[in-house]
Amino acid sequence: NKGNYEHYMQKEIHEQPESLTTTMRGRLIRGGSCKAKTVLLGGLKDHLKTIRRSRRIVFVGCGTSYNAALAARPILEELSGVPVTMEIASDLVDRQGPIYREDTAVFVSQSGETADTLLAFEYALENGALCVGITNTVGSAIARHTHCGVHINAGAEIGVASTKAYTSQIVVMAMLALAIGGDAISSQARREAIIDGLFDLPNRVREVLKLDHEMKDLAKLLMAEQSLLVFGRGYNYATALEGALKVKEVALMHSEGMLAGEMKHGPLALVDENLPIIVIATRDTCFRLQTAVIQQLHARKGRLIVMCSKGDAASVSPGESCRVIEVPQVEDCLQPVVNIVPLQLLAYHLTVLKGYNVDQPRNLAKSVTTQ
Ligand code: UD1
Ligand code: F6R
């Protein structure tokens, strides 16, 4: 049921304040003034000790689910104290990459039925790793066969392009980082700030959704283009990959997400006055580096669209030709949840303007059950 919306993708983008609320329901505990703020993930509570003692946490997924894990990686590294590595499911299986008994392998999958992810899971299981699932689908293969896990509870996702599952996956993995991190005094203030940020997140997403018309205007400007680049780094490297994936899969437009730190190592050669480039430069420890990237792209006459925190438009914009997307600022590790929304809206509007099928892009299936 699409309700008042024309397409499922549109509905699922706009219902993110509600889906995020359901994802967090009953799992965040904010007591009175003297009571600690904590996270409770029922599916993991008996396994947290094992996860904390593991030698490594390996995230495994495909497409958007992989990108969600990539977005959560920095906060997991920070709070867990355990090294975190990333594997694209098919690549892990192709390489028969090393997985050990002392590893915790986390399988991220909206459908819980993706063939590549299931093969990687069977491989990790054979190698003796603790296998954790993060899935949206109760009763799916991943949910049933992993040792333990967390349901993201985002509600059914019908549009082939994953949107609300992505933001709920990131939130679950941020909660996972809090749960693994335990209650060390040294990180208490940071943990409380993240929990406050999580409580506030649905409202911030409601706020960023107001950019809908602005993103439609941007889509009109970009719809005739052949190609689009998205530069991000740090917490928002994943936002660049995921934004570009959305644009290519539904708007059928070539689009690449790139690590801004790699710009000078090749991609800079592509920059001219025609190729549109989105640079994500919201406030965090990478902000100064991103403003330098904007200056360098501007010096080469790059056609820039900058995403920045509210109030930063004047300080990030290198000139009148630069378009700016201002988004609400949230706790740094949660910023990817806010930042992806304008890019989801952009991909949606590009597709509708071009007259393509937004809910069922050509050649794609919602659940990829073959290799
Ligand atoms: C569970 C109930 C929820 C109830 C809540 C009350 C289910 C599906 N969830 O939620 O309805 O309101 O208790 O306390 O009945 N699991 C895996 N792999 C996965 C995902 C989950 O093994 O990929 C396992 C978990 O380890 C857990 C069970 O499935 O044993 C349910 O997980 P989850 O729904 O996340 O647990 P709760 O949030 O506690
Ligand atoms: C992108 C998309 C795909 C899926 C990928 C994994 O919008 O939908 O990239 O994310 O096929 O699917 P799940 O999460 O079901 O394992």
Side-chain angles (χ1 to χ4, degrees), residues 27 42-44 133-135 138 142-143 146-151:
R27 291 169 165 174
L44 292 186
I134 295 181
T135 181
V138 179
I142 290 285
T146 43
H147 294 123
C148 59
V150 188
H151 290 113

Side-chain angles (χ1 to χ4, degrees), residues 62-65 108-112 114 117 160-162 245-246 249 368:
C62 309
T64 291
S65 293
V108 187
S109 174
Q110 189 285 130
S111 63
T114 301
T117 310
V160 164
S162 184
L245 179 59
K246 286 297 88 106
E249 72 173 326
V368 186

